[in-house]
Amino acid sequence: MPDKNRIRRINLMIELATYVAIMLAFVSLSYNLERFSRLAAQDQQMAGLYTAQTQITERIHEAVNRKELFARGIAAAVALRPNISEQEFARLSSGIQLEDPSVVNMALVRDKFITHVYPEEENLSLIGRDLRDVPRQSAVLDRIARTGKSALDGPISLLQGYTGFILREPVFLLGDDGDTGQFWAVASIVFNKDTFLGELGLNDFSKDYQITIRAHNMLGDERTIYGDNAVFARNPAVQQLRLPSSIWTIALVPAAGWDAVPAQTERNRMLTGIAMIVTLAMAWYLNRLRAANWRSAAQLRAAVNVLQSGFVLFDRNDRLQICNERYREIHGPASDAVVKGATFESILREGLRHGLYPDATGHEEAWLSKHLARGDHKASRFELELSNGHWLQILEQETPTGGRVAVLNDITELLHSRQRAQLAEQRLFDAIDALPVGFWLFDAEDRLIMFNRVAGNMLPGMQRALKEGRNLAELVERRAAISKEMLIGGRPATSPHEILDNLHAETSELEVCYDGDLWFRYYTRRTSENGLVMFRIELTDLRRHQRQIETSNTELRAALAERDAAESRFRDVADISTEWFWEQDEHLQFTYLSEGFRRAMGRDPADFIGCSRVELLVEPDGSPEAENLIALRQTMERHEPFKDVVYSYRFHPDRESWIRTSGKPVFAKDGSFRGYIGTAADVTQFYAALRRAEQADEAKTQFLNIISHELRTPLTVVTGFNSFIYNSDRLPSYVTLHKLLEAQDNPSLRRLFDAYRTDIRSFSDRIRNAGVQLQTLIDDMLDLARIEANTMRIETTRVDSLRVTQSVLDQMQSMAAEKHLELRCEMADLPIAADEMRFRQILTNLLGNALKFTDHGSITVRNERQGDMVVFRVEDTGIGISHDKLSIIFDRFAQVNEGTGTTRRNQGVGLGLAICKDLTRLQGGWIRAESRLGEGSTLIFALPAWKDA
């Protein structure tokens, strides 16, 4: 009695200690979770703040850089044209104001006087304003003139009466050597403060952060651009941004403050309390179970010893606690290791030492590792063979205390019976699947339970594969729907129900025809279980053989008649043709020459029967014809076909004849070579004319090449000296003369001198335009000569088609502006595999033609991907090309006249489109044209798309 009380007190103390430990663990967990939540919230707050600060900095930098680029563009334009007019300044500035709505005006300041302003109507009063009267702006201008650097000033009160910023860019004239020269003026971009801040989108961040932006200007003062300066006293995150001659400081603090309590703190506390209560409840329940288990242990020990199967219980450390005698018997010679406290590994190793496990022989450690690893899961079912031939089924299950209980059943006899049954069943399945006929087996309820490979093949019209479980009635209805004809006992079946009733008989036969004239016969038999077994045999070949026998005689007679007619036609054609037919045997000796040989060559065919072709080939060594004949002889020795081979022979001593021949080898059924058959013709006149044309073409190409190079040298001299005439104001003699005129102060003489200089420039422009046209003509002639001589070099690389097209359009903007035409680029960024220079040349020629023949409207360039090619379209709204002229526009020296073809308004020799055609072909592409007279033309060409490796 005292012992039981002592055990009860010990169990009570253990239970109370468990509850205290659980509560302490959850208190610690709650504290750590709250601390980690605060740290995570602070990290997230800082990350969001730095992200917002970076976005604001990038927006400011992007907006100011864009305006700085505008200012530099104005400065560059003024540097090129110091005496820029108001109209030119307005045209230059209008695009900037359209692109950036925050810019309110642009101005040009020289010697601290405002000389140009845009928009002029709203700021007319500012022109001529002396900025020396505005001390701050005067100081900034002095600083820019001294440092030569751009400056951003603001926010300041502007002359227009509102607050804004001024971005100033110095203007330097270009020196004679192209370097930066003297300081000339200052280009200013003025933009409104409120519009600029709205452009930055700072309101996007005001919900989460307090933002202050402060500028330190070049004059040393600080001005607040946005926000409250009190932010700088709240330990903000600060970032400085360097802008032209100023530094902007951006400060941010969270709107909710730095010490905000995470939103999930209360939730974490509540969840931790709930988890602690649940854990205490589970601990109380486990203690109740432990007491119950203690009472059950004695009962378990008595029960396991009467089991016919082996039984064993291991603790959580895999040490043996309980086992019965049957478990010891199973281990045989290794039973000495089966003692209480022994580990699972020691028992297995003792069994391995006695060879108890045959499948572990030779790889004991690997086998042991495998079973130990599986044992760690403590919940498995597997089979194991013993050295005495017995098989065990081992069932393992985890115990509530983390141990493992296992039951070992001897399944030797059961396993042998199952193996025999599986072997017999597999043999039956293999035999059925190997049958060359279809096989189906249905149960008593007409459900499909088995079929073989032939039965599973899809027939014409079937929509889904055969599978087990389908109903016989469904299969009959489906086959009746897709069949062309169904016969029961030789008569047509009237309905699926009739077919199903026939199949339900003790035995039945059914013939079915499917699409493709496929015939099958079905046999059915009832099984002992009232099921149904069905076989299918194909009758297609039998029925086809019957039809073939019926039609074979008719077809044979028709074939013989066709053969006789073909032989007759062949002889008639051979007798009247200007060509002739020939045959050679396996030794390549002529065995037949038709009568066409006599008519064409004036020689008797019999004179050449028995001769080989080699005896007729008497070309001099090294000539192209001799190389053709050598290649022909090698081809015939390889028994390969040949076509249109030309060679010469003197069938008459006084003249040489040129023969074109084609041949095909003839082989016997066993594959042996039997000779050649072929045709030949006399092409003496055509071949002589071809050689004369090739010689003339070669002479023309050499002439074009020589004359083009001879014209280029004097043309270069003419254009070079013309540039001196055009820029005569830079010549020393001109400068001296101009100074003399200035000294005489004679207005009339000065006007005459200026008129003379204008005339000289006009004449020089005409010389330059004529030189450019002649240079283009010479380049086209040289390209034509290279193409015809096959010396044109094409270097294929990856070409950015959009970049090149925009570059060409920029070059032609001035020509389009002269005719008030709009150039459009509606292209996707599609890289091509081409020669960039030649691609640029094609675009230039096509756009130049479009500009020539378009007086109003627009010219548009488009592209798209079509397979492996990128197709380009150059569309204009010009005069168009008549349909009958489209076929010749790509010919060399071809000219298409304007309108109906009666006048020519534009100059040219007709080489541009011909060269475009050759350049696209050399780069693996093509070109064509579409047009409607009076509505415009579309030139379409394609080049290969670039393929990344």
Side-chain angles (χ1 to χ4, degrees):
M1 204 56 191
D3 292 337
K4 292 182 179 180
N5 292 333
R6 181 172 174 272
I7 293 174
R8 187 179 297 113
R9 285 195 301 272
I10 291 174
N11 289 337
L12 181 60
M13 292 176 63
I14 294 173
E15 186 174 351
L16 291 175
T18 303
Y19 297 152
V20 172
I22 291 173
M23 288 187 290
L24 291 176
F26 274 97
V27 169
S28 176
L29 176 63
S30 176
Y31 170 78
N32 288 324
L33 281 176
E34 185 171 344
R35 188 169 66 89
F36 292 152
S37 296
R38 288 182 178 273
L39 292 176
Q42 291 176 2
D43 291 341
Q44 184 177 5
Q45 193 177 53
M46 289 300 297
L49 186 143
Y50 287 134
T51 300
Q53 193 174 56
T54 301
Q55 292 177 356
I56 294 171
T57 301
E58 290 176 350
R59 292 183 184 183
I60 295 173
H61 208 285
E62 180 182 359
V64 174
N65 281 350
R66 183 167 60 251
K67 295 169 177 57
E68 187 176 6
L69 288 176
F70 293 157
R72 290 181 178 177
I74 296 175
V78 174
L80 293 174
R81 297 181 61 85
N83 298 321
I84 188 171
S85 64
E86 288 290 344
Q87 293 79 10
E88 290 175 332
F89 186 80
R91 186 165 58 250
L92 178 64
S93 303
S94 60
I96 297 175
Q97 193 173 36
L98 289 175
E99 188 170 350
D100 192 338
S102 66
V103 176
V104 294
N105 67 57
M106 285 124 310
L108 187 64
V109 178
R110 173 154 171 75
D111 295 333
K112 297 187 180 181
F113 285 92
I114 299 176
T115 60
H116 298 73
V117 67
Y118 180 85
E120 186 175 1
E121 295 178 359
E122 302 173 6
N123 303 278
L124 190 61
S125 62
L126 298 179
I127 297 180
R129 180 74 177 269
D130 188 355
L131 297 182
R132 285 176 292 192
D133 297 336
V134 184
R136 181 179 182 84
Q137 296 199 26
S138 177
V140 172
L141 291 174
D142 291 337
R143 181 72 174 270
I144 293 174
R146 185 173 64 256
T147 62
K149 296 181 179 179
S150 56
L152 175 63
D153 191 20
I156 60 173
S157 297
L158 302 174
L159 299 178
Q160 291 85 347
Y162 48 82
T163 303
F165 298 86
I166 302 178
L167 179 63
R168 296 180 173 92
E169 181 71 21
V171 179
F172 294 93
L173 298 182
L174 295 178
D176 294 337
D177 55 356
D179 294 334
T180 302
Q182 67 177 13
F183 174 75
W184 176 258
V186 174
S188 301
I189 300 290
V190 180
F191 49 100
N192 185 278
K193 173 187 174 182
D194 295 335
T195 307
F196 174 70
L197 293 178
E199 178 184 350
L200 296 180
L202 298 179
N203 291 333
D204 298 343
F205 308 94
S206 60
K207 178 181 177 181
D208 299 322
Y209 306 102
Q210 292 185 2
I211 306 170
T212 299
I213 303 176
R214 194 161 59 190
H216 183 82
N217 295 315
M218 63 186 300
L219 298 180
D221 59 343
E222 288 189 352
R223 294 174 179 259
T224 300
I225 300 174
Y226 180 85
D228 187 358
N229 283 329
V231 170
F232 284 94
R234 297 177 58 192
N235 191 23
V238 177
Q239 184 172 351
Q240 289 189 339
L241 176 62
R242 293 187 175 275
L243 298 175
S245 298
S246 65
I247 298 175
W248 286 18
T249 302
I250 304 168
L252 276 79
V253 295
W258 291 106
D259 297 325
V261 177
Q264 67 272 24
T265 299
E266 292 300 326
R267 185 191 65 180
N268 290 342
R269 292 174 180 174
M270 182 181 67
L271 292 177
T272 303
I274 294 173
M276 183 177 68
I277 294 172
V278 171
T279 305
L280 289 172
M282 291 178 61
W284 176 85
Y285 178 73
L286 291 175
N287 280 309
R288 303 284 79 75
L289 289 178
R290 184 170 62 86
N293 288 337
W294 180 268
R295 291 189 297 270
S296 300
Q299 300 174 0
L300 176 62
R301 292 188 185 92
V304 295
N305 283 323
V306 299
L307 293 176
Q308 296 298 318
S309 301
F311 177 85
V312 66
L313 176 64
F314 292 89
D315 63 10
R316 62 188 304 167
N317 296 319
D318 273 345
R319 292 188 176 276
L320 190 146
Q321 298 297 313
I322 301 174
C323 71
N324 61 1
E325 287 300 320
R326 178 57 182 160
Y327 184 78
R328 296 177 183 275
E329 293 173 1
I330 290 173
H331 284 80
S335 60
D336 293 340
V338 183
V339 294
K340 185 175 181 180
T343 63
F344 181 50
E345 180 179 359
S346 66
I347 296 174
L348 290 180
R349 286 191 178 276
E350 186 66 16
L352 291 172
R353 190 174 69 83
H354 287 87
L356 189 61
Y357 314 114
D359 60 337
T361 303
H363 50 89
E364 288 79 0
E365 290 299 326
W367 184 92
L368 181 64
S369 298
K370 174 183 175 183
H371 283 265
L372 289 176
R374 183 175 58 203
D376 288 342
H377 297 288
K378 299 186 177 66
S380 61
R381 176 194 298 262
F382 59 95
E383 295 176 355
L384 183 64
E385 183 183 9
L386 301 180
S387 59
N388 58 8
H390 286 254
W391 281 85
L392 299 177
Q393 182 187 59
I394 302 176
L395 307 177
E396 293 184 354
Q397 182 65 43
E398 185 179 2
T399 65
T401 59
R404 174 182 58 192
V405 62
V407 178
L408 290 74
N409 298 315
D410 191 337
I411 59 169
T412 305
E413 185 59 33
L414 176 63
L415 188 61
H416 288 169
S417 299
R418 186 170 59 188
Q419 290 175 346
R420 289 191 295 270
Q422 289 177 347
L423 179 60
E425 184 179 11
Q426 185 61 43
R427 288 174 178 173
L428 176 61
F429 287 165
D430 293 342
I432 292 175
D433 199 57
L435 289 174
V437 298
F439 173 86
W440 293 262
L441 180 62
F442 297 87
D443 61 12
E445 297 179 357
D446 287 346
R447 290 194 300 268
L448 180 63
I449 59 176
M450 184 190 301
F451 61 91
N452 67 354
R453 176 181 50 81
V454 176
N457 292 337
M458 299 286 286
L459 294 177
M462 290 186 177
Q463 298 180 351
R464 57 175 177 166
L466 190 64
K467 62 180 180 179
E468 296 178 357
R470 294 188 65 179
N471 189 269
L472 175 61
E474 178 189 355
L475 296 176
V476 170
E477 291 179 359
R478 181 57 191 158
R479 277 158 175 72
I482 66 175
S483 64
K484 297 172 59 178
E485 186 176 1
M486 303 185 79
L487 303 176
I488 300 177
R491 61 180 179 80
T494 58
S495 68
H497 296 289
E498 180 184 2
I499 299 171
L500 193 61
D501 293 340
N502 180 67
L503 295 177
H504 280 153
E506 190 67 24
T507 62
S508 67
E509 292 185 9
L510 175 67
E511 290 187 6
V512 183
C513 178
Y514 297 101
D515 287 342
D517 202 21
L518 298 177
W519 280 91
F520 295 91
R521 180 175 294 166
Y522 294 83
Y523 298 91
T524 63
R525 296 288 187 276
R526 279 291 170 186
T527 67
S528 60
E529 298 176 347
N530 202 31
L532 185 70
V533 62
M534 180 186 297
F535 296 91
R536 183 187 68 195
I537 300 175
E538 186 172 359
L539 306 176
T540 304
D541 292 340
L542 177 61
R543 288 183 175 268
R544 287 179 181 172
H545 183 64
Q546 292 174 348
R547 288 194 299 271
Q548 289 173 356
I549 292 175
E550 293 173 358
T551 59
S552 59
N553 290 334
T554 303
E555 293 177 352
L556 180 59
R557 285 191 294 271
L560 291 174
E562 291 180 1
R563 184 200 64 183
D564 295 339
E567 290 181 352
S568 177
R569 288 194 299 270
F570 175 77
R571 286 192 295 269
D572 293 341
V573 172
D575 290 341
I576 65 175
S577 176
T578 58
E579 298 185 356
W580 64 88
F581 301 93
W582 54 265
E583 294 182 3
Q584 289 178 285
D585 58 17
E586 62 271 19
H587 303 296
L588 301 182
Q589 294 179 341
F590 286 105
T591 59
Y592 172 74
L593 290 169
S594 67
E595 285 300 316
F597 178 78
R598 186 192 304 273
R599 288 191 299 272
M601 308 311 301
R603 294 289 301 272
D604 186 358
D607 295 341
F608 299 92
I609 299 300
C611 297
S612 65
R613 191 181 305 274
V614 177
E615 300 175 16
L616 307 180
L617 310 181
V618 290
E619 293 297 330
D621 294 338
S623 65
E625 293 77 12
E627 295 178 358
N628 289 344
L629 296 179
I630 293 173
L632 173 60
R633 182 167 62 248
Q634 295 173 348
T635 299
M636 297 182 72
E637 291 174 352
R638 293 193 301 268
H639 304 160
E640 296 176 354
F642 57 88
K643 185 177 181 181
D644 295 336
V645 176
V646 179
Y647 65 91
S648 65
Y649 182 72
R650 293 186 181 274
F651 292 99
H652 299 276
D654 57 341
R655 70 176 185 269
E656 183 180 26
S657 299
W658 291 91
I659 309 301
R660 183 192 68 228
T661 184
S662 301
K664 177 182 179 182
V666 178
F667 298 94
K669 291 184 178 180
D670 59 358
S672 60
F673 176 66
R674 300 300 300 274
Y676 270 92
I677 61 172
T679 61
D682 181 9
V683 293
T684 303
Q685 296 180 357
F686 300 107
Y687 193 73
L690 176 62
R691 298 183 73 176
R692 289 195 298 271
E694 290 176 349
Q695 292 172 357
D697 189 64
E698 182 179 359
K700 180 198 71 176
T701 300
Q702 292 179 355
F703 171 75
L704 289 177
N705 198 8
I706 293 172
I707 196 65
S708 298
H709 282 287
E710 292 298 327
L711 288 174
R712 175 174 284 185
T713 300
L715 178 61
T716 302
V717 175
V718 170
T719 56
F721 279 103
N722 181 65
S723 64
F724 286 108
I725 297 175
Y726 185 81
N727 298 289
S728 59
D729 53 351
R730 297 186 178 182
L731 297 176
S733 57
Y734 176 88
V735 174
T736 303
L737 181 60
H738 187 268
K739 290 180 178 179
L740 291 175
L741 291 174
E742 290 290 337
Q744 293 181 8
D745 193 19
N746 189 336
S748 299
L749 186 59
R750 190 179 304 162
R751 284 194 299 272
L752 290 174
F753 183 75
D754 291 339
Y756 167 76
R757 182 171 174 271
T758 301
D759 291 340
I760 290 297
R761 285 210 168 203
S762 175
F763 297 149
S764 179
D765 278 337
R766 296 179 184 178
I767 296 174
R768 182 180 59 186
N769 293 336
V772 170
Q773 181 179 357
L774 183 57
Q775 181 66 46
T776 302
L777 175 60
I778 292 173
D779 291 341
D780 288 346
M781 293 174 66
L782 287 175
D783 286 340
L784 178 62
R786 294 189 190 102
I787 293 171
E788 291 184 343
N790 199 24
T791 59
M792 174 69 74
R793 295 183 60 186
I794 299 296
E795 297 182 1
T796 301
T797 60
R798 184 185 188 280
V799 178
D800 185 349
S801 60
L802 177 60
R803 175 183 58 79
V804 175
T805 303
Q806 289 176 338
S807 173
V808 174
L809 290 175
D810 290 342
Q811 295 175 3
M812 295 195 167
Q813 282 293 349
S814 60
M815 298 174 60
E818 292 177 359
K819 302 183 72 174
H820 304 289
L821 298 177
E822 181 182 3
L823 295 182
R824 300 175 180 171
C825 181
E826 300 178 1
M827 291 179 52
D829 189 5
L830 299 175
I832 57 176
D835 187 314
E836 180 173 341
M837 183 180 71
R838 300 304 175 184
F839 174 59
R840 186 183 296 272
Q841 183 177 355
I842 294 171
L843 284 176
T844 302
N845 284 349
L846 297 183
L847 288 170
N849 275 3
L851 287 169
K852 288 180 184 178
F853 297 102
T854 304
D855 293 329
H856 56 81
S858 63
I859 299 172
T860 305
V861 183
R862 296 185 173 93
N863 71 343
E864 62 178 344
R865 180 75 177 264
Q866 294 184 5
D868 293 336
M869 307 294 286
V870 177
V871 178
F872 299 85
R873 302 172 64 93
V874 180
E875 304 173 358
D876 63 56
T877 58
I879 60 176
I881 306 172
S882 60
H883 183 72
D884 59 334
K885 301 296 184 180
L886 287 175
S887 59
I888 68 169
I889 63 173
F890 294 106
D891 294 342
R892 294 171 182 172
F893 304 106
Q895 292 284 336
V896 178
N897 297 332
E898 178 182 348
T900 61
T902 59
T903 62
R904 284 188 59 189
R905 181 183 60 185
N906 296 284
Q907 299 178 354
V909 296
L911 288 178
L913 293 181
I915 291 175
C916 288
K917 179 180 179 181
D918 289 328
L919 290 179
T920 55
R921 174 182 56 81
L922 290 174
Q923 297 179 83
W926 50 264
I927 189 170
R928 61 184 175 86
E930 297 176 356
S931 181
R932 297 186 66 178
L933 194 62
E935 296 183 8
S937 303
T938 301
L939 276 298
I940 308 169
F941 69 97
L943 293 173
W946 177 260
K947 297 179 179 179
D948 293 327

